[in-house]
Amino acid sequence: MSDTEAMADLEQADAQRAELQQADAQRVEPQQADAHRADLRKRAQELDTADELGKHREKFALDAGTVYLDGNSLGALPAHVPARMADVITREWGELRIRSWDESGWWTAPERIGDRIAPIVGAAPGQIVVGDSTSVNVFKAVVAAARLSADDRDEILVDATTFPTDGYIAESAARMTGHRIVPVDPAAMAAAAGPRTAAALVNHVDYRSGRRHDLPGITAALHAAGALAVWDLCHSAGALPVGLDAHGVDLAVGCTYKYLNGGPGSPAYLYVAERHQAAFDSPLPGWNSHTDPFAMTPGYEAAAGAVRGRVGTPDILSMLALEAALDVWDGVAIEDVRAKSLALTDFFLECVRAYVPEGRVTSVTPDAHDERGSQTALACENAPAVMAELIKRGVVGDLRRPDILRFGFTPLYVGFADAERAARVLAEVLADLPG
């Protein structure tokens, strides 16, 4: 045999060995994958068993076969709310009628419910009033902040990545008060604040990516520049500690139908720090915020305290549904909610990495805990079709066009088995749909 023939035989043998090794690896890999999946399912069960917040799940109306991961858009219904609303409608409205403004406490509901939200967002009583929509409260807060600032401050910084309505409202408020809008990325907000800055409107958690912005740091930087801090808490209140009082926030707004489970269209809230209440000048001075509403005088005189944030007659039905929904927070520490939220999102992302082939999805939610809210956002090709199929298969998340799959983790009723199942079904959907 020639040297050339011997070399060819060796190369052929090496190739055959490589093929056999690859075949062995392919035979072992599914076994390893199955073992990993079994381990994840086992860990999910163990984590759920040890979860102190897990007992709250039974307080919500949830389908046994559905994983509901859209509480960052609409919180699940607390199971006791329908009975409370039946009483409101049949007895308070149906029997007592007009007497319920006094006898059922309707008139004082905006402040009473505000005081129930206060500990969830780290505020002392008397600084939050409930009523109107988030958009209306953003308008009140931005205009009031502009009016509280010095006359030579003519700019309002706005989170450049903000939920669109905040930007629309802020721009209108700026026109009305003679200010100009300056869009700024939240990471650059502290550096952007200067001697012309009246106020800044910033989202605590980005609605699209789930990124948590530095509320303490940005607030301190704005104050150092002589400006006021206005925060949108829609994607943080009820999901993580906010610390409005501790961090010196000036004004804040938030919705109640996400992590606070108030129901579709439930009223929003406005926080006015006590130190600003005497000078708070609302652009919507309705009769409900008058110092003597039933005097019906032509001249407006603002009431004292958080009542200044009221405008017109409260939406009693949705407001009292919210009040009942807040019962699920009795005895719950927001710090415990935050700890479980981080554990859930960590575990979900681990399951996604284990189940979903590399390259099919990319997390745009920060890995760092101090930069993460309570949702995970995955960039995914053909995201609308993927989310539609997920929902058909019992995993309900939502979509932000063009390519973001959002999964909200609400710790009071979402468990670790939910997270594991969601990742597993996502992998199955991606396997069935073209890449």
Side-chain angles (χ1 to χ4, degrees), residues 319-363:
M319 189 165 292
L320 296 186
L322 165 63
E323 183 174 36
L326 290 171
D327 288 348
V328 301
W329 286 92
D330 291 346
V332 174
I334 192 65
E335 292 78 12
D336 293 339
V337 170
R338 175 59 168 168
K340 182 178 175 182
S341 164
L342 292 172
L344 278 169
T345 49
D346 278 345
F347 186 67
F348 174 70
L349 290 172
E350 180 184 354
C351 291
V352 168
R353 288 190 294 269
Y355 294 163
V356 177
E358 188 174 353
R360 294 302 303 273
V361 298
T362 302
S363 175

Side-chain angles (χ1 to χ4, degrees), residues 63-89:
D63 303 327
T66 299
V67 175
Y68 188 65
L69 300 180
D70 208 4
N72 55 326
S73 288
L74 177 63
L77 170 69
H80 67 281
V81 169
R84 169 60 179 142
M85 294 313 297
D87 181 61
V88 170
I89 292 169

Side-chain angles (χ1 to χ4, degrees), residues 336-425:
D336 293 339
V337 170
R338 175 59 168 168
K340 182 178 175 182
S341 164
L342 292 172
L344 278 169
T345 49
D346 278 345
F347 186 67
F348 174 70
L349 290 172
E350 180 184 354
C351 291
V352 168
R353 288 190 294 269
Y355 294 163
V356 177
E358 188 174 353
R360 294 302 303 273
V361 298
T362 302
S363 175
V364 298
T365 301
D367 288 331
H369 283 183
D370 62 355
E371 297 177 5
R372 187 192 307 170
S374 197
Q375 72 180 53
T376 59
L378 304 177
C380 177
E381 186 178 350
N382 203 16
V386 171
M387 182 53 69
E389 186 61 28
L390 278 170
I391 292 171
K392 286 181 183 178
R393 301 188 191 191
V395 175
V396 180
D398 74 357
L399 175 74
R400 284 294 175 263
R401 293 183 295 177
D403 63 346
I404 296 295
L405 305 172
R406 288 198 322 171
F407 302 94
F409 290 85
T410 309
L412 291 186
Y413 55 79
V414 172
F416 293 89
D418 295 324
E420 187 276 335
R421 180 184 165 193
R424 178 162 34 90
V425 174

Side-chain angles (χ1 to χ4, degrees), residues 211-357:
R211 177 179 291 277
R212 172 178 174 264
H213 299 306
D214 181 10
L215 183 147
I218 292 173
T219 299
L222 289 168
H223 288 172
L228 276 68
V230 183
W231 285 90
D232 183 326
L233 309 179
C234 285
H235 287 270
S236 60
L240 52 91
V242 177
L244 291 177
D245 287 353
H247 302 306
V249 169
D250 300 291
L251 300 133
V253 300
C255 66
T256 61
Y257 48 79
K258 300 181 191 299
Y259 297 104
L260 298 183
N261 310 296
S266 58
Y269 57 89
L270 171 68
Y271 164 88
V272 182
E274 185 177 10
R275 65 186 179 277
H276 292 308
Q277 289 178 359
F280 179 82
D281 185 6
S282 173
L284 298 172
W287 75 287
N288 263 228
S289 61
H290 195 283
T291 189
D292 188 359
F294 293 96
M296 304 297 176
T297 56
Y300 178 76
E301 183 180 349
V307 177
R308 287 189 176 209
R310 292 175 67 157
V311 184
T313 304
D315 185 342
I316 289 299
L317 296 183
S318 61
M319 189 165 292
L320 296 186
L322 165 63
E323 183 174 36
L326 290 171
D327 288 348
V328 301
W329 286 92
D330 291 346
V332 174
I334 192 65
E335 292 78 12
D336 293 339
V337 170
R338 175 59 168 168
K340 182 178 175 182
S341 164
L342 292 172
L344 278 169
T345 49
D346 278 345
F347 186 67
F348 174 70
L349 290 172
E350 180 184 354
C351 291
V352 168
R353 288 190 294 269
Y355 294 163
V356 177

Side-chain angles (χ1 to χ4, degrees), residues 56-135:
H56 294 280
R57 185 185 181 103
E58 64 186 22
K59 298 178 181 179
F60 293 87
L62 295 165
D63 303 327
T66 299
V67 175
Y68 188 65
L69 300 180
D70 208 4
N72 55 326
S73 288
L74 177 63
L77 170 69
H80 67 281
V81 169
R84 169 60 179 142
M85 294 313 297
D87 181 61
V88 170
I89 292 169
T90 59
R91 184 180 62 84
E92 295 185 7
W93 179 15
E95 297 174 14
L96 295 178
R97 292 176 286 276
I98 197 70
R99 292 161 53 194
S100 276
W101 285 105
D102 291 322
E103 295 180 26
S104 300
W106 289 2
W107 186 260
T108 57
E111 295 77 49
R112 182 177 71 244
I113 302 170
D115 283 347
R116 291 195 66 183
I117 293 172
I120 300 174
V121 294
Q127 299 179 99
I128 294 179
V129 65
V130 173
D132 306 310
S133 67
T134 306
S135 299

Side-chain angles (χ1 to χ4, degrees), residues 151-212:
D151 291 340
D152 59 347
R153 292 179 174 268
D154 61 354
E155 69 178 19
I156 297 172
L157 308 182
V158 175
D159 178 350
T161 60
T162 189
F163 188 77
T165 289
D166 284 19
Y168 306 155
I169 294 292
E171 187 174 346
S172 177
R175 289 199 306 271
M176 193 177 86
T177 58
H179 290 68
R180 64 189 183 96
I181 289 291
V182 181
V184 179
D185 187 280
M189 192 72 69
R196 297 179 62 179
T197 306
L201 172 62
V202 198
N203 285 265
H204 194 190
V205 173
D206 185 273
Y207 77 99
R208 191 169 184 270
S209 69
R211 177 179 291 277
R212 172 178 174 264

